[in-house]
Amino acid sequence: MGGSGSGKIIAKMLQAAKRLSDAIAEKAAPQVGEAHREFPHGIRDGLDRTTRGDEQSAAELDRLGAAGHADRDNDAAQPATERGTPDSSIAEHTPRGGRDRSEVSAEEARELYAQVRDREPDAAGTGNRVNRVDTTAGPAVVRFGVERPIVTMLKKWMPENAAINYARECGVRTPKILYSGADPSTGRAFTIMQYVPGETRGFNDPEMMNWLPDLLDQVQLMSSRPLPVGMNLDIPEWQQQMIRHADDAYRDLPPEQRSRLDRLGIGPLSDYVQPDLSRSGEPTVFAHNDLYPSNLRLDDQGKLWIFDWETAGPGDPLYNAGFFLERMGKGVDDATRAQATDMWLDRVSPANSSVDTGATLGMYRTMEDWRGVTVCSETMPRAVSADPDRFEGWVDWYDTRLSRHPDPWPDIPKDELRTLLRGWVE
């Protein structure tokens, strides 16, 4: 089929989809409750963004003509962004047929999964657990979801395996996916990934300034590549989606956890931060969105690798800077913290040079403190029950985060806070 014909067909499909969306919105809006009244507009907004990306793709097909189709049908080795197209799609980076380009067969993968699915994990994160295995392709890990994922309040933008493949195409060091599939008996998804020998450094690593430049090199590689089609948000749109997702997660918390936060005086995230409309039109970049020491590893040659891409997708370069800087740990001295901050802002700066970086980092610190206070209302009681000696450390932790923010954050004297937190445990 010629390029011009494809472009016309896509354009007609988009017009039909938009008319359907408008009809749904017009008919449904009067019938939904206030809490869901924005849904039809969300359909339109998402379609508008997808339409713009797809219209660009249709125009590109028309321009390339038959040559463009020949490259696509021959599955050229280079990713689309390197062949001159404006963006690439998420599907392009998702393993086809349950397989990446790998040496691990489906039969071997299922056998490895069966070996570890009932074992204690060698390591576990907020949403996944991993077990070490030996494969015909070398040392690897089997990764699959935990039964009770921790609610992190962070938005997931794209399938994690697609994000990993996209990051690898950017030149980022992250383990190769050897197999991606599902247990045929349960349908439970699992992934087999390359194992990277090395060590994960602590939050207060005294060697941090030696490997931070390597991390920033990789952050720059991510941010220099166009986002997948349909993810081209500007900064305020991205902030709004982050806030809205956190608010929704807050409202869905278990009643007991919500009760603790009510007693503490903590409401939804939108009570404390709003999108910065002065940054309208400033584009987001491809970002990890969860960079901190536990998601990094130094291999045996001292090279830095990045793990856990669950929340990767569009992001603000300053958000990733702030997230990392806030989680370095209080044991890092002021001089090192200042040096690391300067290095981040020098290497990964916003597209708009007039942005008040101090105010923006302050906004993201508020978001991170709110997230920490909210998430830990579930983990803190369990941690103290397991080790009562940790209680005073938690009192200090909550006191620090509550006291460094002005109204409308609750202003609670430390003795009163101690009594309140003690009620969470007892």
Side-chain angles (χ1 to χ4, degrees), residues 326-341:
E326 283 300 317
R327 305 194 76 180
M328 287 192 302
K330 63 182 180 180
V332 175
D333 62 81
D334 290 342
T336 301
R337 187 178 297 276
Q339 184 181 0
T341 301

Side-chain angles (χ1 to χ4, degrees), residues 68-82:
H69 286 282
D71 285 345
R72 184 191 62 186
D73 294 340
N74 289 335
D75 194 20
Q78 289 183 314
T81 48
E82 295 177 6

